[in-house]
Amino acid sequence: MIRAKKAFGVSPIEEPPPPLVKKSALGPRARAWPGAARAEGPVGVFVRENVREALGISWAFSREVEEGGFLFGQVHRDADEPSRWLVVVTEVIRAEHAEEARDALVFSPESFASMRRHAEATRDEASILGWFHTHIVTGPEDRGLSVVDRDLHFSTFRRPWQVAALVCVEPARDPEGREVSFFARQGDFLAPCAVEVLA
């Protein structure tokens, strides 16, 4: 008698959808992030003061090579517009073991491994919301995402609510002239996000 082998398969486990939340429940909003987009796209970004302080002012970034890291926090769906995502960035960490150059940043497998270890060590409900990196700017053409940035985001940060933050470091004016922008996928593009700082 010949027994038929049972087929073996793997099917994805669906994550529960993020909770519906009203924007007013995220906390008191102190102000819009200076220079951020005003139009509301598919993802609204809210940052805690510690994140604004780190990316926008206090962290010393290289004036020679691009640097980067990861964004952590919570993701929600907008109760008033359920197709829209609301992300609250509560923590930002620098990437370890990244390959840094004047005009490029490459996360290594070790970068992602150390990021995952950090996420597991904190043991809270924080999600990996996306990534950030710097551009050394000398003019207006340096202040947007490159094709390489877009490709990295689309291939690595695949969830529709994951964001990319760009920190523009102008060596002669840093940190006073530092600009920070957030982007999220909108179709085949990365569109600027409206950003608010939570008190």
Side-chain angles (χ1 to χ4, degrees):
M1 177 172 151
I2 298 174
R3 290 189 180 172
K5 290 185 177 181
K6 291 186 178 179
F8 176 78
V10 177
S11 47
I13 298 172
E14 290 199 28
E15 295 180 29
L20 288 167
V21 171
K22 287 198 170 282
K23 284 194 271 188
S24 59
L26 298 176
R29 285 175 295 242
R31 63 199 171 283
W33 191 302
R38 298 286 181 244
E40 293 194 351
V43 178
V45 177
F46 300 83
V47 298
R48 296 280 181 216
E49 181 63 32
N50 61 306
V51 173
R52 185 203 66 80
E53 175 75 20
L55 293 180
I57 300 169
S58 66
W59 276 6
F61 288 117
S62 172
R63 297 172 184 200
E64 303 295 326
V65 296
E66 291 188 6
E67 296 179 272
F70 303 101
L71 308 169
F72 292 87
Q74 289 82 39
V75 60
H76 310 280
R77 288 179 298 144
D78 190 337
D80 296 321
E81 192 180 337
S83 64
R84 189 162 186 268
W85 306 98
L86 305 175
V87 297
V88 180
V89 185
T90 58
E91 185 181 12
V92 58
I93 65 165
R94 291 178 187 262
E96 296 179 14
H97 314 291
E99 297 174 29
E100 301 165 343
R102 173 88 183 165
D103 58 356
L105 172 75
V106 177
F107 294 122
S108 68
E110 292 82 8
S111 299
F112 289 104
S114 64
M115 177 264 295
R116 292 204 184 281
R117 282 193 299 274
H118 174 83
E120 291 167 2
T122 59
R123 297 188 182 195
D124 59 13
E125 297 300 314
S127 296
I128 301 162
L129 297 180
W131 64 296
F132 79 90
H133 78 296
T134 63
H135 276 188
I136 316 301
V137 300
T138 56
E141 68 279 356
D142 301 324
R143 297 177 189 273
L145 295 176
S146 69
V147 172
V148 173
D149 299 337
R150 180 198 167 280
D151 290 348
L152 185 150
H153 188 83
F154 274 76
S155 65
T156 307
F157 299 93
R158 297 180 178 186
R159 295 199 166 114
W161 41 262
Q162 288 184 312
V163 296
L166 175 63
V167 181
C168 292
V169 177
E170 189 173 344
R173 298 177 59 224
D174 188 59
E176 293 81 12
R178 193 179 289 175
E179 295 175 16
V180 182
S181 303
F182 287 79
F183 300 85
R185 67 180 62 217
Q186 191 167 19
D188 293 334
F189 301 97
L190 284 175
C193 298
V195 184
E196 295 187 55
V197 180
L198 298 175

